[in-house]
Each structure stands twice: as structure tokens, then as C-alpha cells.
Amino acid sequence: MAELTLLEKEHVQLELDKLNEAVAKTSDFGEKLELKDKIHNMTMILNGVKPYGSINYFCEGCGS
């Protein structure tokens, strides 16, 4: 897997910040689950655990 560039990391971090804000603002349980799933996937990308570009795939390896 290719490592993210600094610009890509900044972009992912900005998106994570937006998603975390959205989680804090919503009271809908289903929406929170969906947002937290996206946060989990993006965090994996940021940490180099998940291949970049595979954010739409379900995380079956760790059970999340």
C-alpha cells in the first residue's frame, strides 16, 4: 500500500473532523452508526491499516 501524502492526510483528517461533528449533532441512532462506520474506515486509512481507495468496503477482518 502506498503511504498517504501530507496533503492526503490533511484531507482525511478534515473529513474525520466533519464526521465527528456530525456524530455530536445527531440524535438518530442509525445515522450515528453510519457515521461511526465511516470514521472507523477513514481512521484505518489515515493509520495505513486499510488500502487507500477502499473506504466503501465493509470491514470484515476486524469485525467492526
Side-chain angles (χ1 to χ4, degrees), residues 7 16 22 28 64:
L7 186 60
L16 279 170
D28 182 88
S64 292

Side-chain angles (χ1 to χ4, degrees), residues 4 8-20 34-57 59:
L4 298 178
E8 289 171 327
K9 286 181 182 182
E10 289 174 358
H11 176 73
V12 172
Q13 187 59 56
L14 285 173
E15 291 301 315
L16 279 170
D17 293 342
K18 289 178 189 176
L19 289 169
N20 281 311
E34 185 177 323
L35 291 167
K36 287 185 177 191
D37 183 52
K38 290 178 182 179
I39 290 169
H40 174 73
N41 287 336
M42 292 191 87
T43 301
M44 288 177 62
I45 289 169
L46 190 62
N47 294 331
V49 177
K50 187 173 186 175
Y52 186 68
S54 64
I55 194 165
N56 294 324
Y57 299 116
C59 181

